[in-house]
Amino acid sequence: MDIKIKVNGTLICESVSPDLLLLDFLRKHGCYSVKRGCETANCGLCTVLLDGTPVLSCSVLCARADGHEVYTLEGLQEEASGFVGFIADQGADQCGFCNPGFVMNTIALLRENPDPSDDEIRAYLAGNLCRCSGYEGQLRGIRNYLDYINRKKQGKE
């Protein structure tokens, strides 16, 4: 079947098999931040933004993305660069394997809610498994980033 998907701002037109997963399509097109983890839609490593909404690309058929826009971390580096250092400062990126999923969900969260509570942050990050850090470092990093942004807005930075 023929599909057209806009990936990180670039339109890709291709013939694909009906059972091709979005994850495999994206990796074929150089989006290596999209990782294969559990293959059961439980770990969040394959999170991408489909029309701005975080989805697990391991559970979305490529055909379902036909005519839509997909963003991976490769296409959102500039937006992500604002807060990833804050997460790293908390030691929350120990092995780094889960980072792309966390970053994609954080981008979606901050687009939807620029001033989330800690519980709202936890809810957005709940679908990402991390074997190294215990999640509190990610929460602290995001909270520190939001505090920094608020201080900047008030002219205190």
Side-chain angles (χ1 to χ4, degrees):
M1 70 183 307
D2 294 333
I3 60 163
K4 294 179 183 178
I5 302 174
K6 198 173 208 178
V7 177
N8 296 326
T10 300
L11 185 63
I12 299 173
C13 303
E14 191 171 304
S15 185
V16 299
S17 66
D19 62 346
L20 180 67
L21 292 174
L22 182 58
L23 171 123
D24 296 319
F25 176 83
L26 293 169
R27 289 188 60 84
K28 176 184 172 193
H29 289 280
C31 300
Y32 299 117
S33 69
V34 184
K35 298 177 182 169
R36 183 176 306 282
C38 65
E39 297 192 62
T40 60
N42 285 310
C43 71
L45 294 177
C46 64
T47 301
V48 300
L49 299 184
L50 178 64
D51 294 334
T53 301
V55 298
L56 300 171
S57 62
C58 74
S59 62
V60 174
L61 290 174
C62 191
R64 297 287 297 193
D66 183 28
H68 295 275
E69 186 169 39
V70 176
Y71 271 91
T72 68
L73 189 54
E74 285 84 359
L76 298 171
Q77 288 294 310
E78 189 174 325
E79 191 171 351
S81 68
F83 63 86
V84 293
F86 286 86
I87 293 173
D89 286 346
Q90 295 299 314
D93 63 344
Q94 291 177 21
C95 81
F97 197 67
C98 65
N99 281 0
F102 274 113
V103 171
M104 295 302 292
N105 277 308
T106 301
I107 287 171
L109 167 65
L110 297 178
R111 285 179 177 182
E112 183 179 314
N113 181 357
D115 191 24
S117 68
D118 286 359
D119 286 340
E120 290 169 322
I121 294 170
R122 283 186 191 99
Y124 249 82
L125 301 182
N128 290 83
L129 295 181
C130 176
R131 294 180 176 109
C132 300
S133 71
Y135 307 99
E136 286 304 308
Q138 286 91 349
L139 173 63
R140 283 191 312 269
I142 294 166
R143 176 58 48 215
N144 288 348
Y145 169 72
L146 293 171
D147 292 346
Y148 168 75
I149 292 300
N150 287 330
R151 286 192 308 272
K152 268 180 79 169
K153 286 179 185 175
Q154 297 169 1
K156 296 179 181 177
E157 281 289 327

